[in-house]
Amino acid sequence: MTTIMDRANALLIEFEQNANSLEKVTPDTVEELRIHWLGKKGIVTKLFEDMRHVPNEEKRDAGKSMNVLKTSIEASLDVLKSKAADFVFHSILNRAPLDITLPSQKDTLKGALHPITLMQQKLLKEFRQHGFTVYDGPETDFDFYNFTALNLPADHPARDMQDTFHLKTNQDIMVLRTQTSNIQIHAMLQEKPPLRIVAPGRVYRVDSDQTHTPIFHQIEGLVVDKKISFADLKGMIQSMLHSVYGATAKTRFRPSYFPFVEPGAEVDMQCTHCQGKGCKICKNTGWLEIGGCGMVHPNVFEAVSYDSEEYTGFAFGFGLDRMAMLNWQLPDLRQLFEGDAGFQSQFSVFAEGAPC
Ligand code: DAH
């Protein structure tokens, strides 16, 4: 009569034959083998159940040989599992190699200048043709340039309209500029009149909702000379907007208040999306505000020691983001800041200097 011990020994040999005959040692085949031998309904488990029928005096030896069988199988399975892991590792290595230095496929997304950059380049080109010099100015600036010298003293209520980010310094109050108008002051302190400058740049305000982003872009303009009038201002702005948006572009000036100009106005462009009929973009008004302008306030001239009796001037500040939005009829300002490569690549057709 075959005893459990004999069966256990025979099964160990059978298991080894099973293991050696595996065609491939993969995580799946090893797991199958484990289930077949040690699983809930596996051969070894059944053998343990048969222990019930073993006479008491043989139980000890039978149990021993079954434990030997079980631990031997477990040890072999461990070896097989690590072989299977090697198999997975090598099959990954042997896959078609990925050469990241190969040139990309033709149809992948093209890089392109950002619409705000395109709009800025277009405007600068236009202004240069009108004899303007392009100026740059600091994005972090002293309160003096961003506010005080622009006729916005420390407790002026109009400061509330431009809630900003303040920076701590030892010497003076500094801010992230809220407007490119700070460049007016830098330019006038550096140059003697007459003066004709434009200055594009990033500006910052504590503002974030569907139509406002904490960072946006403006382009500032300043002309100072003898006998400059509001008619010069209107003519300049209209001609600039015509050259950007075409001769049919309609503009309107609405009286408004900016502390650094008197009189001051807001400039609206007829909505290019609906041609003034009213749509979601222009909130059904047919018009979109693109910036402010006006005649330089005598207090500003005083702050930079220009003679306001001898000189007059006009200034304007436009939102570059708004202008780009209008130009390409973008439904949402946020598209300009999301960094979506699909959106961005569409602008690759507008190479530098090409008509937008
Ligand atoms: N700096 C103003 C703003 O950000 C815009 C502005 C209005 C600029 C009138 C000007 C101006 O130069 O004359 O709201």
Side-chain angles (χ1 to χ4, degrees):
M1 205 186 100
T2 50
T3 62
I4 286 236
M5 282 178 284
D6 297 334
R7 275 171 70 197
N9 287 338
L11 284 173
L12 190 56
I13 294 167
E14 194 184 324
F15 170 81
E16 266 153 22
Q17 281 168 352
N18 256 204
N20 289 336
S21 64
L22 282 183
E23 233 173 71
K24 272 185 187 167
V25 182
T26 69
D28 286 349
T29 57
V30 175
E31 179 60 6
E32 257 173 46
L33 192 67
R34 189 194 66 78
I35 292 170
H36 184 68
W37 285 89
L38 301 180
K40 265 190 201 157
K41 292 179 187 161
I43 293 171
V44 176
T45 319
K46 271 192 197 145
L47 197 64
F48 270 95
E49 280 165 13
D50 289 350
M51 274 283 281
R52 281 179 283 148
H53 310 299
V54 175
N56 277 350
E57 61 276 15
E58 286 174 27
K59 271 206 166 98
R60 207 165 154 253
D61 287 342
K64 251 190 193 171
S65 48
M66 279 173 39
N67 278 336
V68 170
L69 171 70
K70 196 176 172 212
T71 48
S72 310
I73 292 179
E74 279 171 349
S76 301
L77 282 170
D78 281 346
V79 174
L80 287 172
K81 272 184 201 159
S82 76
K83 271 194 189 164
D86 281 355
F87 171 84
V88 172
F89 180 66
H90 283 102
S91 55
I92 292 172
L93 283 187
N94 291 335
R95 263 188 222 150
L98 171 69
D99 182 353
I100 56 166
T101 64
L102 282 175
S104 63
Q105 285 169 2
K106 262 191 197 151
D107 293 337
T108 50
L109 298 174
K110 283 195 192 120
L113 289 178
H114 192 278
I116 297 173
T117 308
L118 287 166
M119 182 45 68
Q120 178 176 315
Q121 285 181 347
K122 191 173 169 96
L123 287 166
L124 292 184
K125 189 170 163 215
E126 209 54 51
F127 280 113
R128 280 199 184 96
Q129 281 170 2
H130 282 93
F132 282 72
T133 306
V134 179
Y135 247 79
D136 198 7
E139 283 179 34
T140 27
D141 209 352
F142 292 102
D143 179 284
F144 171 80
Y145 295 93
N146 193 80
F147 291 124
T148 314
L150 286 163
N151 200 24
L152 272 147
D155 48 6
H156 198 292
R159 280 196 180 206
D160 287 350
M161 296 192 295
Q162 300 190 1
D163 192 7
T164 187
F165 300 92
H166 291 264
L167 306 168
K168 269 193 187 157
T169 63
N170 293 334
Q171 310 136 8
D172 205 345
I173 302 170
M174 286 195 93
V175 294
L176 288 183
R177 70 172 173 210
T178 59
Q179 47 188 349
T180 43
S181 308
N182 67 330
I183 305 173
Q184 288 188 30
I185 306 300
H186 285 283
M188 286 192 282
L189 287 172
Q190 276 167 42
E191 312 280 347
K192 288 204 172 86
L195 196 71
R196 194 184 291 208
I197 63 145
V198 272
R202 255 191 301 264
V203 298
Y204 305 83
R205 289 190 199 170
V206 185
D207 229 350
S208 187
D209 60 33
Q210 287 202 334
T211 49
H212 296 90
T213 45
I215 301 177
F216 56 105
H217 303 80
Q218 291 186 333
I219 183 163
E220 191 79 12
L222 173 70
V223 172
V224 182
D225 209 336
K226 290 176 181 163
K227 298 198 178 119
I228 294 287
S229 73
F230 201 91
D232 296 319
L233 165 64
K234 274 188 91 172
M236 177 71 243
I237 288 178
Q238 261 164 3
S239 111
M240 188 265 291
L241 292 177
H242 282 166
S243 54
V244 174
Y245 296 101
T248 53
K250 289 204 176 67
T251 47
R252 72 176 185 190
F253 292 75
R254 280 180 293 109
S256 186
Y257 173 71
F258 300 98
F260 32 91
V261 283
E262 180 59 36
E266 265 165 289
V267 184
D268 294 340
M269 268 273 306
Q270 194 175 65
C271 179
T272 52
H273 196 70
C274 62
Q275 259 74 44
K277 288 187 200 83
C279 66
K280 229 172 99 184
I281 294 179
C282 59
K283 295 194 184 114
N284 284 320
T285 61
W287 297 90
L288 272 169
E289 184 200 321
I290 56 168
C293 65
M295 300 303 293
V296 181
H297 197 289
N299 287 355
V300 175
F301 281 150
E302 228 155 78
V304 295
S305 308
Y306 273 21
D307 184 351
S308 61
E309 294 295 322
E310 198 181 353
Y311 290 99
T312 51
F314 67 72
F316 56 87
F318 290 148
L320 276 173
D321 323 73
R322 277 288 178 92
M323 292 185 78
M325 217 179 143
L326 269 172
N327 196 53
W328 287 285
Q329 297 173 18
L330 307 176
D332 193 330
L333 187 72
R334 287 168 296 185
Q335 287 175 299
L336 295 171
F337 299 97
E338 280 166 351
D340 177 336
F343 166 78
Q344 181 58 41
S345 68
Q346 297 173 64
F347 293 88
S348 58
V349 289
F350 304 111
E352 190 172 356
C356 298

